[in-house]
Amino acid sequence: MDCGSQTGSIPDSPRSSHLAIDIGGSLIKLVYCSRGSGESAADENCCSSTESAKISNGINFHSLRGGRLHFQTFETSKVADCIEFIRSKKTDFGGGWHLEGSKEKNVIKATGGGAYKFADLFKEQLDIVLDKQDEMDCLVAGANFLLKAVHHEAFTYRDGVKDFVQINDKDLFPYLLVNIGSGVSMIKVDGIGKFERVSGTSVGGGTFLGLGKLLTQCKSFDELLELSHKGNNRVVDMLVGDIYGGNDYNKIGLASTNIASSFGKAISEDKELHEYQPEDISRSLLRMISNNIGQISYLNALRYGLKRIFFGGFFICGHAYTMDTISVAVHYWSKGEAEALFLRHEGFLGALGALMSYNIDKSSLLQGQIS
Ligand SMILES: Nc1ncnc2c1ncn2[C@@H]1O[C@H](COP(=O)(O)OP(=O)(O)O)[C@@H](O)[C@H]1O
Ligand SMILES: CC(C)(COP(=O)(O)O)[C@@H](O)C(=O)NCCC(=O)O
């Protein structure tokens, strides 16, 4: 993305630039363009950003011709940190955020439920007005932008192998966009600004983290994911073989190793929670939720005749086991007909969409200038 004045993509004063915010149920995502040499990647970690922000900054920080695009996250429960961060950036933004055509002095584009929930807080604390953008509009705009503009944005993931897929511009639509945030939205996208939210499920990233905290005493998402690396879901899940005396159930295509019932082993084992390893619980939970989302996504793709399913949202977080499980679920249920694709900037679709709702020259944004 070019924030520089040479292309005229962002008509603004030399120092000021644009900031957009997506305030979700779990995380706040900030995206902002800045110009000049004043900032470095190190700035990204200077405040109380979450661990996943650090991870994503590692891959998402972009040097821009004439400017830079920055990505930042905060836990929504720590909105005060986000407010302090924005306050600290105010001078970098020429003393405020001036929206073209608006009488208001400080206005920033904002999406997600928090744009409503925290509107008064931003006004009181920062004297900033949140210019609310619809969450679904932003998700779709962000996804379309990335898929059209960014080389190597989408990839498949199977058995630990990431394969980048270059999407032909003329062959992008229709597709299913599945955003796995706190909850999950499934959106059939037919073109730029043309979409319908066709389904959703409340069993999403918030469920993984919420149940995971209750069941394992973990304090954070990163801790829970880390545990899942070391776990064995078969200790907790009831397999087909557990029911069929070690045999496959060939007639309906089930191998003995298939999960028959997530967490099903806990029915009969008469064990207390503390007798299970938190690693195994975390693994089983992650698998259950990823598999379920993969399956519902496939059913919606089938319902609308869609071959490509793009997965976004911070739940995925570039995590190998999550992506593998989703890919296997889509492949398994579609008998290889549909494909799960992941996005490098998965967690920032809404924030990028909100950023694009500024009066920015879209044609220059769509010339592949984001790396
Ligand atoms: N550092 C983190 N803290 C909390 N949740 C995280 C973190 N990193 C990833 N997640 C996962 O991402 C989900 C939030 O995804 P996101 O797309 O930001 O949704 P939302 O817009 O609802 O906040 C969480 O529910 C959790 O599963
Ligand atoms: C309400 C939401 C759009 C909010 O987005 P989020 O903060 O989870 O990213 C999302 O949580 C959702 O789509 N939930 C599923 C609700 C349902 O379809 O049953």
Side-chain angles (χ1 to χ4, degrees), residues 23-26 29 113 135-136 179 181-185 197 199-202:
I23 313 179
S26 305
K29 282 74 62 179
E135 183 173 347
M136 299 298 130
N179 193 65
S182 307
V184 186
S185 280
R197 182 184 186 275
S199 195
T201 164
S202 61

Side-chain angles (χ1 to χ4, degrees), residues 22-29 50-53 73 75-76 112 135 179-183 204-210 220-222 225 312-317 346-348:
D22 173 6
I23 313 179
S26 305
L27 295 173
I28 301 176
K29 282 74 62 179
T50 62
E51 193 60 32
S52 51
T73 63
E75 287 171 25
T76 306
E135 183 173 347
N179 193 65
I180 317 177
S182 307
T207 319
F208 173 63
L209 186 51
S220 71
F221 182 79
D222 297 305
L225 267 193
F314 247 106
F315 169 70
I316 297 171
C317 233
E346 66 215 343
F348 290 96

